[in-house]
Amino acid sequence: LPIWLKQLWLEGPGSCSKSLPPPTGPKCRATVFSGSTEKRTMKLLSLILFKWKEDNSIELLNCEELSHFSFFHRGPLREHIKFHSRLIASRTPLGQRMSVDFDQNLGKCHAWANPNGICATVLVDGEYPMRVAFALAAEAIRMFSESMQGKWEDASADMALQNPDIQALFVKFQNPAEADKLTKIEKDLEEVKGTVMQSMDDLLKRGESLDQLMQKSKDLSSTSVQFYRTAKKNNQCCKMY
């Protein structure tokens, strides 16, 4: 992830531009945090459902909670979330679960590629429990499969399907403790034990680089790519800790 994006994740919306006004109240029940003066809280940023394709998975449904970031940064952040989620979904074999760590313990993306051809990616911070994230992925796929039958199977381009029940589920899972009660998740959930643990570098094929994939991706605007290049070149947009 680019340095400016890492800083936003760690310290909140005021970390890179102190002059920006604070965001308004969130729609979902995510706890707002700002800087190192407050205790970091578990964050669930996105749930994206894809029609699985090995070369380039197709987006079907997207839930996100970015209200604790400034409006100015939400666009680039949204694009990078979509880019990484799509890449991880496409690199997760059907029938398998994969948990991908971002550099410097900045967060994780948990992916479950259901054999029915739907892959769910859940992007969270490093504090969010893996078993709860996979429970969200599994339940979202189940709900989507039951309610959207016949609406996604022939998709050849990204869609923006709506499902109020999945959106409500996403809101509930903002609080992992409450999600545990709602779904009665077992701490020794057998399905999670077989999860493949990876890093972003592990996902890259021989001769690939993340920079090249970003340049080719249709998910990233020129602005987001330039943000990444500038931050990587200077390596000093913001102080990291």
Side-chain angles (χ1 to χ4, degrees), residues 3 5 7 13 24 50 57 70 85 95 100 131 170 208 215 218 227:
I3 298 298
L5 191 56
Q7 184 67 12
T24 57
F50 294 94
S57 293
S70 70
S85 296
V100 179
R131 59 190 175 82
F170 179 74
E208 278 186 337
Q215 184 63 34
K218 296 181 180 179
F227 261 122

Side-chain angles (χ1 to χ4, degrees), residues 28 60 123 188 193 195 223 235:
C28 298
L60 301 174
L123 196 66
D188 59 346
K193 291 184 178 179
T195 302
T223 300
N235 198 32

Side-chain angles (χ1 to χ4, degrees), residues 12 17 23 43 121 123 158 170 175 200 222 226 233:
S17 181
K43 294 185 293 298
T121 60
L123 196 66
D158 283 357
F170 179 74
N175 185 332
M200 284 303 298
S222 57
Q226 187 59 43
K233 179 180 179 181

Side-chain angles (χ1 to χ4, degrees), residues 2 25 28 37 93 105 146 158-159 175 177 188 205 230 234 237:
C28 298
T37 59
N105 194 32
E146 292 179 356
D158 283 357
M159 304 180 69
N175 185 332
D188 59 346
K205 298 177 181 178
T230 301
N234 296 334
C237 168

Side-chain angles (χ1 to χ4, degrees), residues 39-172:
K39 183 179 180 180
R40 289 185 62 207
T41 57
M42 298 180 189
K43 294 185 293 298
L44 168 60
L45 296 184
S46 70
L47 163 68
I48 305 180
L49 299 186
F50 294 94
K51 176 184 177 182
W52 185 88
K53 291 183 65 177
E54 186 176 4
D55 54 343
N56 192 32
S57 293
I58 299 171
E59 181 182 341
L60 301 174
L61 180 147
N62 189 327
C63 299
E64 65 180 31
E65 171 46 51
L66 304 180
S67 62
H68 49 288
F69 296 102
S70 70
F71 178 81
F72 176 78
H73 291 110
R74 288 179 203 167
L77 180 60
R78 182 177 292 114
E79 291 181 5
H80 278 278
I81 286 175
K82 182 177 290 190
F83 166 77
H84 285 85
S85 296
R86 193 191 304 271
L87 174 62
I88 292 169
S90 301
R91 300 292 166 90
T92 302
L94 277 179
Q96 291 190 20
R97 289 172 172 80
M98 185 178 293
S99 180
V100 179
D101 281 313
F102 295 121
D103 293 339
Q104 301 181 36
N105 194 32
L106 291 171
K108 300 176 184 290
C109 183
H110 303 292
W112 162 223
N114 192 287
N116 69 1
I118 300 174
C119 182
T121 60
V122 180
L123 196 66
V124 298
D125 72 354
E127 305 292 329
Y128 199 95
M130 180 175 68
R131 59 190 175 82
V132 179
F134 278 119
L136 169 59
E139 183 65 9
I141 290 177
R142 183 193 67 78
M143 296 170 67
F144 185 89
S145 299
E146 292 179 356
S147 63
M148 296 293 182
Q149 187 173 1
K151 298 181 180 180
W152 65 272
E153 291 84 351
D154 296 328
S156 58
D158 283 357
M159 304 180 69
L161 297 174
Q162 301 295 319
N163 187 306
D165 291 336
I166 294 179
Q167 181 63 47
L169 182 74
F170 179 74
V171 173
K172 292 176 182 177

